[in-house]
């Protein structure tokens, strides 16, 4: 189900709680909402649809991937200044991103994965995990 984008700064500034099995319907809604906004958005975190759980959806070009409880375990390579926009607020902001990130996350079956991402995908993941930590870029 496509949900309305949350633009309430107070709730967006809260740290999200761990995601559990009961949050899977919300995760599917997050994926639906990302797809519905694919022309102007490449990633979303659950608090952007008003769900205070650590769930992100990332557009990886060929497919959109859901990550439950994602954690960046390592950042490496060059850092660069990125200018990022966000559906939850207007305008763009500048922030520092790492070229590569190693991420630990769970899939929809709660199987753990540890994977390395680089470039734009790494940037999207860093932006969305910031959302889970209550950081708005
Ligand atoms: Zn955002």
């Amino acid at each position: 189900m496509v949900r309305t984008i949350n633009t309430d700064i107070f709730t967006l500034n809260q740290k999200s709680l761990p995601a559990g099995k009961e949050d899977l319907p919300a995760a599917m809604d997050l994926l639906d909402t990302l797809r519905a906004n694919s022309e102007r958005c490449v990633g979303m975190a659950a608090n952007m649809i008003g769900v205070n759980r650590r769930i992100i959806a990332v557009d990886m070009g060929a497919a959109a991937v859901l990550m439950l409880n994602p954690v960046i375990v390592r950042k490496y390579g060059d850092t660069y200044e990125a200018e990022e926009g966000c559906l939850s607020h207007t305008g763009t902001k500048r922030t520092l991103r790492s070229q590569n990130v190693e991420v630990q996350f769970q899939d929809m079956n709660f199987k753990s994965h540890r994977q390395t991402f680089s470039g734009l995908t790494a940037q999207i993941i860093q932006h969305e995990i910031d959302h889970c930590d209550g950081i708005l870029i």
Side-chain angles (χ1 to χ4, degrees), residues 43 48 85-89 127-128 131 136-137:
M48 292 176 69
C86 180
L87 282 190
S88 283
H89 58 81
H127 179 106
E128 304 313 332
H131 272 296
L136 271 183
I137 298 299

Side-chain angles (χ1 to χ4, degrees), residues 61-132:
V65 174
L66 274 171
M67 296 183 182
L68 306 179
N69 302 308
V71 179
I72 294 176
V73 290
R74 195 162 73 103
K75 294 182 180 183
Y76 63 98
D78 293 338
T79 53
Y80 60 96
E81 195 179 54
E83 188 167 350
E84 299 179 351
C86 180
L87 282 190
S88 283
H89 58 81
T90 51
T92 56
K93 287 185 181 175
R94 293 188 166 276
T95 187
L96 278 183
R97 295 301 184 200
S98 292
Q99 188 66 37
N100 309 287
V101 290
E102 189 176 343
V103 185
Q104 194 168 322
F105 63 96
Q106 294 163 317
D107 63 23
M108 295 292 274
N109 299 310
F110 289 88
K111 187 172 179 270
S112 281
H113 298 266
R114 205 179 168 116
Q115 222 174 315
T116 298
F117 300 93
S118 57
L120 180 61
T121 304
Q123 185 183 347
I124 300 167
I125 291 170
Q126 290 171 83
H127 179 106
E128 304 313 332
I129 291 180
D130 275 353
H131 272 296
C132 295

